[in-house]
Amino acid sequence: MNFDQSLIQDYWHLLCHRNELPQPGDYLRFETCIGDVVVFHDGNDLVVFDNRCPHRGALIYAGTHGNQAATCLYHGWTHSHGRMIVPHPENYRSCDLREAKLATFTTDWCGDFLFFSVTPRQQLYDQLSETAEILENISFNIGARADINAYVYDCYWPLAIENALEPDHISLIHPQTLSKLELEGGENIYHGLNSVWRAPVGNARLRKQLASLQRFFTIDYGYEGYMSVYLFPFTMLSSTYGFSYSLQNFFPRDARQDTTTFSSRLLVAPVRNEQAASTLSSFFSSTAQVNRKVFEEDHDVCKRVPRSAWSTQPLKFSSTSEAKIQHFRQSCRSHIEATNTLHQLHP
Ligand code: FES
Ligand SMILES: [Fe+2]
């Protein structure tokens, strides 16, 4: 098993917010280097599985998201309400169809955020440490998903993560978008493998405008400024004032091609009433457009950094605002050491 695969297997990964999949058939699919990971609403529950049909292994979902029953197109086997429905069961008399089940992953919740893992080394809350409380608070202040933006990043995933972990590139790469906030230096907070960056908005006019939107929301949590939460290894959650959150996954997609499955969801806070909803609709759609542009800009620059530029070693030239990159690389080194130790104990 390689480095990327072992990270997927050993850690918990935030997949979605409960309110992203409210209807039976709602699904999200992520391509990863250990195969597809699909989360879907089966009529009772959110189910996370490997996208393979238990009959003869056909892939059930093909898109990145949408609404579609978990019916295999090949011979019509369907998972619904916690069980597999097999057409013409009389043709399978020699088999025990009770054993025909989706191959599900291990799941757990932090507030209304759903996580999955394969063979987690720790309990979810141990992995999250103090970040768990922040995530719970955020999750209870999210109403719905307003946008989804999913495509393949043409770079090796740690390069995309490191780009998201440092603000030094903002003025050059995002001059018309993120740079407008004129974010101040802010502070880094570390919780185990995870990190949080909080930075006040320096642009006084925008700060005033943002503060004036507060009255349209029913939220009891949110940092008054820009906050970016990094969850080791593949997830970022960022927000301005807690009015909306951009949930980003950067899953290793294919070890040979160095590509990354990128997904960003815009999750918006609950609004006070109908009137507030109509007032905010243009704010949310412009936030979605700005976020899309920011990620394109990030993707464009990440494409310019070859895989060979990355290693788990500390940066040789590290600015003060690249401290979270050093922390990330330290976490990668610790993971490799722990994996090697385990292999020595259980070859
Ligand atoms: S492979 Fe899915 S129903 Fe046969
Ligand atoms: Fe960026």
Side-chain angles (χ1 to χ4, degrees):
M1 202 188 323
N2 67 27
F3 174 61
D4 298 347
Q5 289 167 328
S6 69
L7 287 172
I8 295 193
Q9 304 247 12
D10 292 353
Y11 292 89
W12 291 97
H13 313 287
L14 202 172
L15 271 186
C16 63
H17 188 274
R18 192 190 294 280
N19 295 349
E20 286 189 77
L21 300 107
Q23 302 294 334
D26 285 345
Y27 77 93
L28 291 165
R29 182 178 69 97
F30 303 88
E31 281 180 71
T32 83
C33 61
I34 62 157
D36 282 1
V37 177
V38 168
V39 52
F40 82 103
H41 189 315
D42 85 338
N44 286 344
D45 249 328
L46 295 187
V47 175
V48 184
F49 80 113
D50 70 356
N51 199 23
R52 285 166 195 260
C53 175
H55 179 216
R56 278 171 39 206
L59 300 181
I60 294 180
Y61 288 103
T64 54
H65 66 283
N67 184 282
Q68 180 191 313
T71 298
C72 178
L73 294 179
Y74 207 169
H75 312 94
W77 287 31
T78 297
H79 177 101
S80 177
H81 294 85
R83 66 190 196 92
M84 188 60 66
I85 300 156
V86 177
H88 305 295
E90 66 279 11
N91 293 346
Y92 296 88
R93 252 179 251 131
S94 62
C95 324
D96 185 356
L97 286 180
R98 286 170 304 183
E99 287 177 17
K101 292 183 181 134
L102 298 177
T104 52
F105 291 105
T106 308
T107 56
D108 203 352
W109 292 89
C110 176
D112 280 332
F113 283 127
L114 178 64
F115 285 72
F116 89 98
S117 183
V118 183
T119 47
R121 285 198 186 158
Q122 330 176 252
Q123 302 286 325
L124 172 62
Y125 271 66
D126 291 335
Q127 182 185 314
L128 295 174
S129 66
E130 293 103 309
T131 316
E133 194 184 333
I134 298 174
L135 288 180
E136 284 177 352
N137 279 317
I138 291 174
S139 82
F140 298 139
N141 283 277
I142 283 172
R145 185 174 74 211
D147 191 34
I148 179 164
N149 183 23
Y151 50 92
V152 176
Y153 254 44
D154 208 0
C155 75
Y156 186 40
W157 69 270
L159 297 164
I161 289 287
E162 292 191 351
N163 172 68
L165 284 175
E166 57 88 359
D168 274 356
H169 70 276
I170 290 177
S171 60
L172 276 179
I173 303 299
H174 309 298
Q176 301 303 322
T177 50
L178 213 45
S179 191
K180 300 275 185 206
L181 291 174
E182 297 171 22
L183 296 177
E184 294 174 5
E187 56 168 347
N188 287 327
I189 305 153
Y190 300 96
H191 299 310
L193 301 171
N194 315 296
S195 53
V196 180
W197 182 55
R198 290 197 174 110
V201 171
N203 181 320
R205 186 180 54 83
L206 284 178
R207 199 169 55 232
K208 210 169 147 197
Q209 277 177 7
L210 285 163
S212 74
L213 293 177
Q214 191 82 43
R215 65 186 191 279
F216 296 118
F217 293 94
T218 54
I219 53 180
D220 59 16
Y221 183 83
Y223 171 68
E224 289 190 12
Y226 182 84
M227 177 168 77
S228 166
V229 179
Y230 169 57
L231 303 176
F232 184 82
F234 306 127
T235 307
M236 304 285 313
L237 189 62
S238 53
S239 176
T240 308
Y241 277 67
F243 300 154
S244 64
Y245 290 86
S246 164
L247 169 60
Q248 305 137 49
N249 293 114
F250 298 89
F251 287 118
R253 176 171 171 270
D254 182 324
R256 279 161 302 146
Q257 291 176 13
D258 298 346
T259 52
T260 296
T261 295
F262 167 71
S263 166
S264 161
R265 273 69 62 65
L266 181 68
L267 308 175
V268 298
V271 297
R272 193 162 292 286
N273 50 37
E274 298 255 310
Q275 199 189 344
S278 79
T279 309
L280 289 170
S281 74
S282 62
F283 171 70
F284 287 146
S285 63
S286 85
T287 305
Q289 292 317 312
V290 168
N291 283 2
R292 281 174 174 255
K293 185 153 178 12
V294 167
F295 293 122
E296 267 167 41
E297 291 163 347
D298 282 326
H299 182 209
D300 280 345
V301 76
C302 287
K303 279 194 283 200
R304 298 176 69 95
V305 190
R307 179 180 180 148
S308 56
W310 189 77
S311 83
T312 58
Q313 293 309 305
L315 289 174
K316 193 169 170 193
F317 308 105
S318 172
S319 81
T320 46
S321 41
E322 288 170 323
K324 287 197 301 174
I325 293 183
Q326 302 293 47
H327 178 254
F328 165 67
R329 291 191 176 198
Q330 174 60 52
S331 302
C332 292
R333 290 197 297 278
S334 305
H335 169 71
I336 291 168
E337 276 162 30
T339 307
N340 290 344
T341 310
L342 263 181
H343 283 167
Q344 278 159 12
L345 292 172
H346 307 283

